[in-house]
Amino acid sequence: MRRATCHGRLLWVLRQEAGTASAYEQQIYTNRSAGWQASPAGGLPSTSASDLANTFVNVLPSRTFCSGVEASNSAQTGQLGTSQFIHNGTEYSFETGNLAQLSDGSSLVKFGNTWVLAAVTSSDGFRVQERSKPNITVEYREPVASVGRMPGGRAKIEGGPNQSEEDTALLIEKAILPLFAPGFTQNVTVTATVLCSDGAVAASSVALNAVSAALMCSDIPWEGPLAAVQIAHSASGGDAGQTTIQPTSEQLLGCGLSGLYVGTADTALLADFQGREVSKKAMRSALQAAQAATQQILRSQQKLVSQQTSAKPVKPSQGYSGCDPAAEASIMALAVPLVKDILSERNADMSRVQRLDALREAKTQVVEELTKQGVYRFQALRSLGSGCATQTDVDFVWQDVQSMVIRDMMTKDNLRADGRGLIDSRPASYQVGVLPVVHGSALAGQGQSQALVTATIGEADDQAKSEGITGHTSKQLMVQFGDRMAAAAEASTSGRDRIPDPVKQRVRRNTGRMLESRLSAAFPSTLFPFAVRLNVDVLAADGSETMAALSAASLALADAGVPVRAQVAGTQVAAFTASGHPHAVDWNPSNGTPPSTDSEQDSSLYEIVVDPQEAESSVSDLLLQLVGTDEGITGLHVESLQKGGVPFQVVTAALSSGWQGLQEQHSKLADIKAQVARNLTNKMGSVVVPQDKIGKLIGPRGAVINKIRADTGSLLSIEEAVEQSENATVHFFCPDTRQATAVEQAIRGATGVDLFEGSVHTVKVVRLMDYGAIVEFPSGSSSLLHISQLSSTRVKRIEDVLSLGQELQVKVMGHDARGNLQISHKALSALFDDAEGDRAGDDKADDSPSAKRPYQAVNARFRQSERGSRDFRQQKPRIAQSS
């Protein structure tokens, strides 16, 4: 009995320490606490583990489904509903109730021939109290079977998510997160699958709308709907241009600005645009057109929800998340003065590490003071409503206090913790060529944030290749983004930290691909036919580290010799609204509905902060990243962190402040850009060769081209002609500029471009044979020098006149019927020329019979050489016998 009692106590303590106990378990704990204290077995009642578990099961509430009817009927049939509208002659429809009936909510969205099915589920039972937001898992798939194509590979099976699927899944997670009810922290799984697609429109916006409709038809407390639209903007220069909603793939190719926008009726949630140096006016016009286009999709989803036969019951709380209201006042009374003092203007000179240490010490002081007052309890002894605080309560209140103090400083006092003005950027520093050996490197700093980027140039075959519903694609510019724990002043606390976190890895890959898209506007893809890989290493992270990495990446490309069209820079902007919700808001309604908050009362009160620190960006309501050259904007990313999204006017105001910050960043880059331009050396060249000579450049099994690469350390890329009669282009890249001339000569010599008839070259003897010698040109190509082309006189043995390694000059005489090069040394022999000149003079002055019959001397010379040749052939066996 004592062992069973201990087992029951251990089960309860473990659940309390893990934070998985619900309000019902808390009530059981409170009711039995008096009996536990009087128990002779150490304060716990003599109850078995099975009895305690049965008690938990009996008090747990039943599952509530979205249909509002019995669970069994809802799981079998669901509630049918349809809603549709016509967009540019194409039907856009929403359906629910037919597919994925066992999920909490599902929706099938059809836009033309693009069909996307979304389903959502959430966990029941115990919730994690230490979280302030739900744990969302998004799985987005675009199977190649949806376009009627077999997957690649020998196994012919669908692999893991590709890059496009990962990016879309992360966008879905960021878009739906602000609309979950405050205090809801359960696990939520979202799946979106493209069932079929003809490739006419992008499936990402359709998937976001399908997820929104599925959440609206579920019992998950989600304050939607949202609407996502894909846009294409035909902006040019300073013109505002025209916006096309839900463009086709052909319309996306020729547009100057494209991207995805997600929003509600009056708020913005997410925006991700990529442009070709467009103006601020064009970007604002595209945002306004996208916001207006969301209204029709929102009305269609609301119509779909209104077709449900009963109102959607919200899933009950089933637990408590956040700080205990009874303990919140005592914690805030101690925490607010300490946090205000640390973040005040008088401590503006504090670094991030010093500020973190001060906040950590202040937090410890709060716990010590609560302990002295006798109101601090261990997590296992937490009792709601008792006024006693635990570490979980302190953590939640501490985060809220920091957010409240920083927000009040911004919106009321117009102050910042580091003493800067609201629109002032931190000092920036740039260095180019900081690393030897590598092709290119750059180091950029923004305040205390620091990023090191190295550039590596590769062959055209080194491009990254992937397969998706759009077919096989290759990527010329590749960016790998990485950050270390030391960059955020963190240390490993357990062996688990050595295991890669899949969520962090996905975010890093997404950040790398974001940098790729922002740099692609200035990358000369047509003029630079080589693969480029950038390795981004964040050395210190204190806000805007991504923007510092972007500037360093652009400088590293120029340092490597890539002819970028312009330098790219970026700035980050944060917005703080007076109506922003704190990070830990209690949501434990008695009637099953989330509390209503009037977020419009202070929606006009907000402040925009340029270049925020990590402490500021982590508690902001909006983050905006604006990237561009000195000619225009190349990328925009907007992410709402406030519950319910931020008002649209806040986004446009942040865009204006971001444009000013971008111009300031380019002014700081002026000196380093001038330095890069002065030190820029041409490491790239090209040679035009006939298409039929490409085989000679490659050589047998690539021997010739590999020899050029090995000898010069250069990279070669062959751009073959479409027609055989046209000329091909051989591009070369030399990390060592001193080898550029040697590479060009080698290419010309191997392809025979310089070996035209009548040209003279210095060659080297590499092999001797009975009938001639194999000579090598400086380019590395070789040819046969026949023995008859060595001298005007008869050469009996090749060894008599040539030796291995000997250099001599030859003249190109042309090509034979097979295309082989014909060279001659006899044509350049001075002895031959003198003999011909003497013979011509004798013919004119001499009146001898031989002069009257010039062919007799030639015939006599031929007979003599023939007799000598026969004598030579007769002596061969004797030489062999004697030897």
Side-chain angles (χ1 to χ4, degrees), residues 313-613:
V314 179
K315 184 172 294 187
S317 174
Q318 297 186 5
Y320 186 82
S321 178
C323 178
D324 184 2
E328 184 176 5
S330 60
I331 301 175
M332 292 193 67
L334 298 173
V336 171
L338 296 176
V339 174
K340 278 188 175 181
D341 181 67
I342 294 173
L343 299 180
S344 62
E345 191 177 4
R346 69 183 186 86
N347 293 324
D349 297 335
M350 274 190 177
S351 64
R352 184 191 178 188
V353 176
Q354 293 173 343
R355 189 176 292 111
L356 289 176
D357 292 341
L359 290 173
R360 193 178 297 111
E361 292 177 2
K363 189 176 180 180
T364 305
Q365 293 178 15
V366 172
V367 174
E368 292 176 353
E369 185 63 27
L370 291 173
T371 304
K372 292 179 181 179
Q373 297 177 5
V375 293
Y376 184 79
R377 296 289 185 271
F378 291 106
Q379 186 70 23
L381 302 178
R382 188 185 193 195
S383 179
L384 301 180
S386 65
C388 296
T390 63
Q391 187 63 42
T392 300
D393 299 326
V394 175
D395 293 340
F396 273 100
V397 173
W398 193 259
Q399 183 69 17
D400 283 344
V401 168
Q402 292 187 57
S403 175
M404 180 187 65
V405 171
I406 294 177
R407 190 180 305 276
D408 290 345
M409 291 174 60
M410 301 289 183
T411 58
K412 297 179 181 180
D413 303 329
N414 291 338
L415 296 176
R416 302 178 71 172
D418 56 357
R420 286 181 293 150
L422 297 183
I423 60 173
D424 295 337
S425 300
R426 290 173 292 181
S429 60
Y430 305 99
Q431 298 181 35
V432 179
V434 294
L435 298 178
V437 181
V438 298
H439 294 167
S441 61
L443 178 66
Q446 188 76 18
Q448 290 188 343
S449 298
Q450 202 174 44
L452 176 65
V453 180
T454 58
T456 306
I457 314 299
E459 302 279 356
D461 295 337
D462 294 331
Q463 297 183 10
K465 300 176 178 59
S466 61
E467 180 185 12
I469 60 175
T470 58
H472 295 272
T473 58
S474 59
K475 187 166 55 177
Q476 187 177 1
L477 177 62
M478 299 158 284
V479 179
Q480 181 175 350
F481 182 86
D483 52 359
R484 295 187 173 93
M485 300 186 69
E490 298 175 353
S492 176
T493 58
S494 64
R496 295 180 181 179
D497 296 333
R498 295 191 295 268
I499 302 176
D501 187 357
V503 177
K504 291 184 178 180
Q505 287 185 330
R506 185 184 63 175
V507 173
R508 290 167 183 168
R509 290 193 295 267
N510 179 264
T511 306
R513 288 189 286 271
M514 185 273 293
L515 294 177
E516 293 171 3
S517 63
R518 304 301 184 252
L519 292 169
S520 60
F523 187 80
S525 57
T526 57
L527 302 177
F528 192 78
F530 297 95
V532 180
R533 181 181 178 274
L534 297 174
N535 187 77
V536 180
D537 197 356
V538 176
L539 305 180
D542 189 21
S544 300
E545 60 272 4
T546 306
M547 299 297 97
L550 181 71
S551 301
S554 180
L555 294 173
L557 287 175
D559 184 53
V562 180
V564 292
R565 289 193 289 267
Q567 291 296 327
V568 180
T571 184
Q572 184 166 301
V573 175
F576 294 85
T577 61
S579 60
H581 299 294
H583 280 237
V585 178
D586 172 32
W587 178 65
N588 190 12
S590 58
N591 57 357
T593 57
S596 61
T597 56
D598 187 8
S599 61
E600 297 181 357
Q601 58 182 356
D602 294 324
S603 61
S604 60
L605 182 58
Y606 60 88
E607 290 294 343
I608 307 298
V609 176
V610 178
D611 187 20
Q613 291 181 323

Side-chain angles (χ1 to χ4, degrees), residues 139-190:
E139 181 181 1
Y140 174 75
R141 299 308 304 268
E142 295 177 348
V144 295
S146 62
V147 295
R149 193 175 69 248
M150 295 283 287
R154 183 174 299 178
K156 301 300 178 186
I157 60 175
E158 298 282 353
N162 55 29
Q163 299 177 359
S164 176
E165 293 170 340
E166 278 190 350
D167 294 344
T168 305
L170 190 59
L171 290 177
I172 293 174
E173 179 182 344
K174 291 180 178 180
I176 65 176
L177 180 60
L179 297 181
F180 282 96
F184 180 76
T185 61
Q186 293 180 233
N187 298 325
V188 178
T189 301
V190 179

Side-chain angles (χ1 to χ4, degrees), residues 10 23 109 138 230 252 275 351 376 587 637 657 681 717 747 759 788 850 868 871:
L10 179 61
V109 178
V138 180
Q230 196 85 19
L252 285 173
S351 64
Y376 184 79
W587 178 65
H637 183 81
S657 299
T681 55
S717 175
I747 296 174
S759 59
S788 61
S850 61
D871 295 342

Side-chain angles (χ1 to χ4, degrees), residues 228-239:
V229 293
Q230 196 85 19
I231 69 163
H233 199 73
S234 59
S236 58
D239 187 15

